[in-house]
Amino acid sequence: MRVINTKELIPVVNDLVKKACIDLDDNLMNALKQSILLEESELGKEVLETLIENANSAREKQVACCQDTGIAVVYLEIGQEVSWEGANLTDMINEGVRQGYGEGYLRNSVVGDPILRENTKDNTPAVIHTNIVEGSEVKITVMPKGAGSENMGRASVLKPADGVEGVLNYVIETVENAGGKACPPLIVGVGLGGTMEKSTLLAKEALKRPIGDRNPISHIAALEEELLQRINDLGIGPIGIGGRVTALDVHIETFPCHIASLPIAVNLQCHANRHASKVI
Amino acid sequence: MKFKIGDVLELFGDVYTARDAAHKRFVETIAKGEALPIDLKDATIFYAGPCPPKPGEVIGPIGPTTSTRMDPYVEPLIQQGMTAMIGKGERQDYVAELCKKHNVVYLLGIGGAAALYAENIKSVENIAYDDLGTESVKKLRVEGLKVIVGIDTKGNVLHKEGKEKFKR
């Protein structure tokens, strides 16, 4: 059994918050560069070039690449050989979030009560997802999620008879309805199966997969390819003003489900696809 | 105004930031018959809430937020004299009608180009609602802020025409 003091999480989360909000990773930068070659709209190309220039400028100046530095979604994949000691783990993660948003001059975008809507002024609390895995390590991933794209996601439970066509139509309708509001080019995360809440978790997890990687299940990979093609045929384009590149990729994650249901969730990610991870 | 959809403009002059919470207060103030904290005559409203500035900087990263959330507030603000809005994304059809009727334009900022936009802002003055944090009303002096005309004064909508052109 490996014992970790929860306090060790504070500097890790602090660093990951800043890294995610400031440095867009090479996987995304390469995808944006490639997308310029595919873009047919001159204005669309200009927008994509501006986004690349912006990302480089943010890295150079060490400031946030987008002003919506999101609500912090924090994933902990905890090895089952790990035992925790020290203060409350949730509090330590939130302390890391508090420090990271403060030190990084990142925007505080969280309200404490969804009805009363008073800003918490330190971007806490984070949305925390934990998962127990094999081993004696802990993988921490911070994914700041902006509202422009998050607001346009959808979830539903389809009927098994809706089948593949039902799934394709649901995803395409979601992207079409989002239009320019979700800040395309997008990464489209789809969760398929499980239960209502499981599908939404899968949809967000799908956004962590590198752009260009396919689901290992061949018929699901084929669905990803078909969706990417059909989404880019919509004509929405960069920031929604018309063009070829509406999505950089589509990622589907699946889970077994009940004989009577076909849960589906679509989580849209704007072009500022921010996430950073560390293993301790 | 002579601009048409798809035109790329560089803005010079003063704009005011206001987003969800500030708009709500604006219309509540108007409804009570009280004076607004800013004169909206010929004003440009930028739907934006910046990051805090680093020491020595004028402003932190700043960019447009999704405009359609402010759609219900467009008409009362036009009645107060607002002539331009900067934001991102599609709006309800009635906003294009209002632009046409009242000679108003909707300009698109490039969502996510916030580090670059911060360089185009030369001064910031806190005007009202400081308790709202990033959502407070600020007067920004902008120089060379790049925007694209999204809805022109004829009521043409770039999102609609652009999408139609590239649909297959």
Side-chain angles (χ1 to χ4, degrees), chain A residues 2 30 32 54 71 87 108 129 166 171 199-200 223 225 229 235 261:
Chain A
R2 177 184 171 207
N30 289 334
L32 284 172
N54 179 71
I71 183 165
N108 295 325
H129 301 298
V171 177
S199 66
T200 61
L223 275 186
E225 299 273 0
Q229 176 71 46
S261 55

Side-chain angles (χ1 to χ4, degrees), chain A residues 41 43 46 50 54 57 61-62 64-65 67 105-107 176 179-181 183 233-235 239-244 271, chain B residues 19 49-55 61 63 66 88 90 108 111-116 119 134 146 158-159 162-163 166-168:
Chain A
S41 152
L43 209 45
E46 195 177 329
T50 303
N54 179 71
S57 170
K61 294 188 289 185
Q62 286 292 293
C65 60
Q67 80 288 342
Y105 295 90
L106 308 173
R107 195 178 81 179
E176 188 153 34
K181 297 185 278 291
C183 285
D233 283 348
L234 291 172
I239 70 166
I241 58 175
R244 189 53 52 222
H271 52 72
Chain B
R19 41 178 293 156
C51 290
K54 280 186 163 180
T66 306
K88 72 172 168 84
E90 298 83 352
L108 299 170
L116 289 180
E119 294 173 9
T134 185
K146 191 159 92 172
L158 179 61
H159 285 101
K163 187 180 166 195
F166 289 96
K167 194 175 164 182
R168 339 189 239 232

Side-chain angles (χ1 to χ4, degrees), chain A residues 35-84:
Chain A
S35 75
I36 295 178
L37 306 175
L38 299 172
E39 186 49 65
E40 294 162 20
S41 152
E42 285 308 313
L43 209 45
K45 273 187 199 167
E46 195 177 329
V47 168
L48 293 169
E49 279 160 8
T50 303
L51 294 176
I52 291 168
E53 194 190 334
N54 179 71
N56 291 333
S57 170
R59 189 177 291 178
E60 200 177 297
K61 294 188 289 185
Q62 286 292 293
V63 298
C65 60
C66 176
Q67 80 288 342
D68 187 352
T69 49
I71 183 165
V73 181
V74 180
Y75 289 90
L76 290 188
E77 290 163 71
I78 304 167
Q80 62 190 16
E81 306 300 324
V82 170
S83 170
W84 297 95

